[in-house]
Amino acid sequence: MASEGSQKIAILSVYDKTGLLDLAKGLIKNNIRLLASGGTAKLIREANFPVDDVSAITKAPEMLSGRVKTLHPAVHAGILARDIASDEKDLAEQNINKVDYVICNLYPFKETVSKTINLTIPEAVEQIDIGGVTLIRAAAKNHTRVTILSDPEDYHDFLAELDKGEVTEKSRQLYALKAFEHTADYDAAISDFFRKKYAGDGLQQISLRYGTNPHQKPAAAFMREDKLPFKVLCGAPGFVNLLDALNAWPLVKELSEALQYPAAASFKHVSPAGAAIGVALNEVERKVYMVDDIEGIENSGLAQAYARARGADRMSSFGDMIALSHEVDLPTAKIISREVSDGIIAPGYSKEALDILSKKKGGKYLVLQMDKDYEPPATESRTVFGVNLTQHRNDAKISPSDSFRSILVPVDSPPLPESALRDMTVATIALKFTQSNSVCYALNGQIIGLGAGQQSRIHCTRLAGDKADGWWMRFHERALNISWKKGVKRPDKSNAIDMLCSGTVPDSGVEREEYEKNFETVPPPFTQQERKAWLQRLSEVACSSDAFFPFIDNVFRASRSGVKYIASPVGSQNDQAVFSTADKLGITFVEQNIRLFHH
């Protein structure tokens, strides 16, 4: 064999034989010896091209029904040998020639699995290529010398270069990259199949009802090399359920850790409708949040946190995904049991709480138990329109002691009160998990208004302010003392209160008639003067923005909703005007130096 060393050698072993004969013709034209296995050799030979079986160099026949063809030192030493003296010596001692080209593609595991109905595991196993993967990886590893072709689409350009004299280093690099991607995709398809078969019961993978919309099937959630960090205790999750749950959980976890309170969030469409910590509720707040009849609520910080989170914007919280930082207790479960909600994620559940929640929605209510110790990887990725995007996860820490130290105005400001630091922390952590652009108003340890997903910063500020105004109007005695007709449901009450407090009561017609059906005594709409007088009593509100305020209109709008503290990144060309406006309005402006876009 050593005497044949002047002639270059190509090993061919392909399942997809597209373009194979044209390739063989081109290789022979360039005086390259062909070695091939099985059906590849047969097709080349039937076309009357000279080709040797791989056994010509291995001196061993194919065996185990074709499972072993090319797995031999004579093959792989020839591929892996470098142009160095020690490798040349080893080859000479074993009478092995170098291999210069490897043309190989693999059994169609992915296609077989996707197209074969009721494919058995033994049938799938037989589609797992061993020798081919080894050939490809060996050649790709040694691509400084060896050319690896794993895609028939590359044959034409390869032969064009070969006809000019040699394959360039750049081409070998790109062929090697494609080869590694080919084997990686192949291995991923195999592991995907066995994950579904062996760990698809929720251990590492779970099937979802559908994707973002019902027509987007199939859908799944899975982890590679690790268990899923949550268990499904009841119900069946959908794609959006998990988007909400896996954004809401870190929010309440971070909120609880930062402020040392139980925390709760009410999520809709991957943004919080409300979030809060378990600050004690007073009697009026219990009535506003419709929990004044919940036994034991005064002893449950978690129940009070969810009452605040749900009560901040009851209209947006309708059909929410709930996240709770602590084990769910009986009072919290009682609140949830009578609200329209899609599901819940929490680190644990008392037996009584789980019994209640498992009966909700006819036993279909989604209950997820989260591993409270789970930490996601530092790098996160997603696929958008077929393009993979990666970034370092947003692991910025927001804390009342470290995040709000830089007071810009007033210049002689005293230290911020604990309540302001608390509320800025609530608002800022909420923004970290809110679709951008976003602005959040907070008071009493809870969100009272959130403007999410707006392209314009001022529209975020207005939306959040309008919601904060509506929240505060619900504390007016007219809203507190509504006389409801018997049988009016909670969602209908929420809608009627929202119309009353937002000033959108219809003047007349069918809509007005439907509105009035809710009441024993129809409350008169608020006049403009009444609204203005009541809203002027709202004060000490904290406002946070996920990026800088570009114009002073944001400050004016925030001020009208009782904002006395603003936390925001800076960097706008208009910063000084923004700071000056805040100073004139009696607002303390604090630089929060981390931009918190979320998409």
Side-chain angles (χ1 to χ4, degrees), residues 18 22 45 131 204 225 343 365 382 419 435 501 566 568 579:
T18 302
D22 287 338
R45 192 171 288 120
Q204 277 187 252
E225 302 178 8
Y365 186 65
R382 68 168 70 178
S419 59
Q435 298 298 298
C501 292
I566 290 178
S568 171
F579 304 156

Side-chain angles (χ1 to χ4, degrees), residues 262 278 280-281 286 294-304 329 331-332:
L281 295 167
R286 291 183 199 176
I294 297 293
E295 184 179 351
I297 190 172
E298 68 278 1
N299 298 317
S300 171
L302 191 68
Q304 294 177 92
D329 55 21
T332 309

Side-chain angles (χ1 to χ4, degrees), residues 9-293:
I9 294 174
I11 290 182
L12 301 90
S13 180
V14 295
Y15 181 89
D16 181 355
K17 296 177 176 59
T18 302
L20 176 63
L21 296 182
D22 287 338
L23 177 67
K25 180 179 179 180
L27 291 169
I28 292 166
K29 174 185 172 184
N30 283 277
N31 192 35
I32 295 170
R33 181 188 180 193
L34 307 189
L35 298 173
S37 65
T40 305
K42 182 175 182 293
L43 183 63
I44 295 172
R45 192 171 288 120
E46 288 175 348
N48 295 317
F49 291 126
V51 60
D52 293 322
D53 292 322
V54 173
S55 59
I57 62 171
T58 64
K59 308 303 181 185
E62 294 183 9
M63 62 182 71
L64 305 180
S65 301
R67 281 192 169 199
V68 178
K69 300 176 185 177
T70 59
L71 297 171
H72 194 280
V75 172
H76 290 285
I79 295 172
L80 289 165
R82 296 156 294 183
D83 291 327
I84 60 176
S86 59
D87 284 7
E88 300 280 3
K89 180 175 179 293
D90 287 342
L91 292 181
E93 289 176 351
Q94 300 299 322
N95 198 28
I96 295 173
N97 286 324
K98 289 180 181 176
V99 174
D100 304 279
Y101 309 97
V102 173
I103 297 88
C104 184
N105 55 64
L106 306 173
Y107 296 165
F109 184 89
K110 184 186 294 186
E111 291 78 4
T112 300
V113 168
S114 64
K115 294 178 181 178
T116 305
I117 300 174
N118 298 322
L119 182 73
T120 66
I121 289 177
E123 288 171 336
V125 164
E126 291 308 314
Q127 293 299 318
I128 298 175
D129 201 318
I130 303 300
V133 171
T134 310
L135 283 174
I136 291 173
R137 288 182 65 85
K141 176 176 179 175
N142 203 26
H143 66 271
T144 55
R145 184 183 65 79
V146 178
T147 301
I148 170 64
L149 297 176
S150 59
D151 183 356
E153 291 290 326
D154 293 326
Y155 294 171
H156 177 272
D157 290 346
F158 162 75
L159 288 174
E161 278 198 304
L162 197 62
D163 287 343
K164 293 178 182 178
E166 64 177 15
V167 179
T168 65
E169 180 183 24
K170 183 64 176 179
S171 293
R172 290 198 307 275
Q173 290 171 346
L174 293 176
Y175 293 148
L177 172 61
K178 181 177 283 191
F180 283 127
E181 290 176 336
H182 185 45
T183 58
D185 181 67
Y186 194 74
D187 285 338
I190 294 169
S191 65
D192 285 349
F193 175 81
F194 285 104
R195 188 187 310 109
K196 293 173 187 175
K197 293 293 184 181
Y198 296 155
D201 56 356
L203 184 65
Q204 277 187 252
Q205 178 157 331
I206 186 169
S207 295
L208 305 179
R209 287 181 288 122
Y210 48 78
T212 304
N213 299 292
H215 68 277
Q216 292 177 259
K217 297 178 180 179
F222 65 90
M223 296 277 286
R224 289 193 171 99
E225 302 178 8
D226 205 352
K227 296 178 182 178
L228 286 168
F230 60 84
K231 295 178 181 178
V232 179
L233 303 185
C234 185
F239 192 89
V240 176
N241 292 146
L242 291 186
L243 287 179
D244 283 339
L246 297 174
N247 274 275
W249 166 253
L251 189 161
V252 298
K253 182 181 180 184
E254 291 188 25
L255 203 52
S256 181
E257 290 173 351
L259 294 171
Q260 297 301 300
Y261 273 87
S266 171
F267 252 66
K268 286 284 295 294
H269 294 290
V270 205
S271 284
I277 57 172
V279 174
L281 295 167
N282 61 38
E283 186 176 342
V284 176
E285 288 173 323
R286 291 183 199 176
K287 188 172 183 179
V288 169
Y289 301 147
M290 300 184 180
V291 294
D292 48 331
D293 59 340

Side-chain angles (χ1 to χ4, degrees), residues 451-526:
Q454 305 299 304
Q455 288 84 359
S456 165
R457 179 73 43 192
I458 184 57
H459 287 116
C460 296
T461 308
R462 290 172 183 167
L463 178 58
D466 291 348
K467 290 191 174 191
D469 292 350
W471 168 83
W472 179 240
M473 291 301 299
R474 285 157 55 197
F475 287 82
H476 192 283
E477 62 179 0
R478 188 176 305 168
L480 287 171
N481 296 316
I482 290 174
S483 178
W484 300 102
K485 277 188 177 177
K486 187 176 181 180
V488 177
K489 296 180 180 179
R490 294 170 71 84
D492 293 325
K493 289 181 179 180
S494 296
N495 187 49
I497 292 171
D498 184 73
M499 294 176 76
L500 174 65
C501 292
S502 63
T504 56
V505 174
D507 293 329
S508 60
V510 176
E511 188 178 4
R512 176 68 181 230
E513 292 171 6
E514 288 298 317
Y515 169 76
E516 292 183 349
K517 284 180 181 179
N518 295 296
F519 311 106
E520 287 289 351
T521 303
V522 179
F526 290 105

Side-chain angles (χ1 to χ4, degrees), residues 404 419-428 431 438-443 446 448-451 457 460-462 464-465 468 540-547 549 554-559 561-569 587-592:
F404 312 105
S419 59
L421 291 169
R422 173 199 65 199
D423 294 340
M424 284 193 289
T425 302
V426 169
T428 306
L431 293 178
S438 59
V439 171
C440 184
Y441 296 21
L443 185 67
Q446 69 173 86
I448 63 169
L450 184 67
R457 179 73 43 192
C460 296
T461 308
R462 290 172 183 167
E540 303 306 311
V541 175
C543 171
S544 187
S545 175
D546 66 355
F549 284 133
N554 292 277
V555 184
F556 285 127
R557 178 61 191 89
S559 178
S561 292
V563 168
K564 293 298 179 184
Y565 306 95
I566 290 178
S568 171
I587 296 174
T588 300
F589 198 107
V590 181
E591 179 184 0
Q592 190 286 106

